[in-house]
Amino acid sequence: MLAVLPHWLLSMFSVMPLPKIVVPVAITNTANVGTATEASSHTFSSQSIGAAAAGRIIAVAICTNGGGAGTDGASGVTIGGAAATKAIEITAADHTHSSLWYLQVDAGTSIDIIVTWQRTSNGAGIGVYSVLNSSGSPVSTASDIDDAGAVYTTNTLDIPALGGGIATAIDLKATSPATHTWVGLTENFEQNFKGNNKMSGAALAYEAIQTNITVSCTPSATRYQGSMDTAAWGPA
């Protein structure tokens, strides 16, 4: 006959749940492209989005500057035909606009991205990022503008442990386009999509929590105006 053990003794042999393993956020700049075409909508076809992965977030930075009248900003961004969510946007003088959009895209390695503006834009640029192992939506955002001809834009951003941040900036100069120096995040690209409009993007993942970390973008020369957006993602 089998002996029946008392409940208090059985509880001593119960299996404790394993601790959750947190995988760090991984951020990769997969594409950047621009167009000098003045239009109310721009299609950027077959943009690289990196390796497919469950829960992958595709973040798209968009910028435009100058020319024409009307309302600034984008009325929408689609990624593979699906509407992306706007994380943050800001506009400085002369339609100097930047914003960050995102969407979960599990499948595929390339995709069409369409930006629809609220006005006829004076050209545009985009930067594309793959964000893996994140919680989905940004946990912190910030933005800044410069309308006084100063030499930098700056934000403070909260980045969780094992999380990461993405930023984009644009500026307009009187002569040749500026180059940029970033603090807090690492520059990924610069592109001169039209005239003296210069767009830049930066990102970085952190192991330790970053509270009110300074993220700044300094052009190589004084500009007319500029704008910058930042967003942070935490781990899943």
Side-chain angles (χ1 to χ4, degrees):
M1 178 179 292
L2 295 175
V4 178
L5 296 177
H7 290 296
W8 65 267
L9 184 58
L10 287 173
S11 65
M12 294 178 63
F13 297 96
S14 62
V15 178
M16 298 295 293
L18 294 174
K20 179 182 177 181
I21 298 176
V22 179
V23 180
V25 168
I27 301 175
T28 304
N29 175 223
T30 58
N32 70 89
V33 64
T35 176
T37 301
E38 298 180 13
S40 59
S41 179
H42 291 109
T43 298
F44 302 96
S45 301
S46 302
Q47 297 302 300
S48 174
I49 54 173
R56 175 183 59 180
I57 296 298
I58 299 302
V60 179
I62 68 172
C63 290
T64 188
N65 189 304
T71 304
D72 290 299
S75 57
V77 173
T78 62
I79 303 173
T85 298
K86 180 169 57 183
I88 190 167
E89 68 174 352
I90 197 166
T91 305
D94 197 22
H95 312 288
T96 308
H97 175 84
S98 58
S99 56
L100 290 169
W101 301 68
Y102 67 97
L103 179 71
Q104 181 173 326
V105 182
D106 294 341
T109 58
S110 65
I111 210 162
D112 293 347
I113 297 171
I114 301 175
V115 180
T116 302
W117 303 98
Q118 299 182 58
R119 55 186 285 271
T120 298
S121 71
N122 188 29
I126 67 169
V128 184
Y129 288 85
S130 167
V131 183
L132 303 181
N133 313 319
S134 80
S135 56
S137 300
V139 296
S140 176
T141 59
S143 59
D144 188 33
I145 62 171
D146 165 30
D147 285 336
V151 294
Y152 68 93
T153 44
T154 184
N155 291 325
T156 57
L157 194 65
D158 293 331
I159 301 177
L162 304 180
I166 296 173
T168 189
I170 181 174
D171 56 60
L172 176 63
K173 281 182 76 264
T175 55
S176 60
T179 56
H180 300 84
T181 300
W182 287 85
V183 172
L185 302 176
T186 301
E187 184 179 71
N188 305 120
F189 69 89
E190 297 204 35
Q191 60 160 298
N192 174 216
F193 58 82
K194 183 178 182 179
N196 297 323
N197 298 321
K198 192 67 172 284
M199 175 187 183
S200 183
L204 187 63
Y206 280 92
E207 182 176 351
I209 188 171
Q210 305 293 314
T211 302
N212 289 329
I213 183 176
T214 296
V215 178
S216 67
C217 180
T218 304
S220 57
T222 299
R223 59 196 169 190
Y224 286 148
Q225 63 272 327
S227 68
M228 179 177 74
D229 293 294
T230 55
W233 277 262

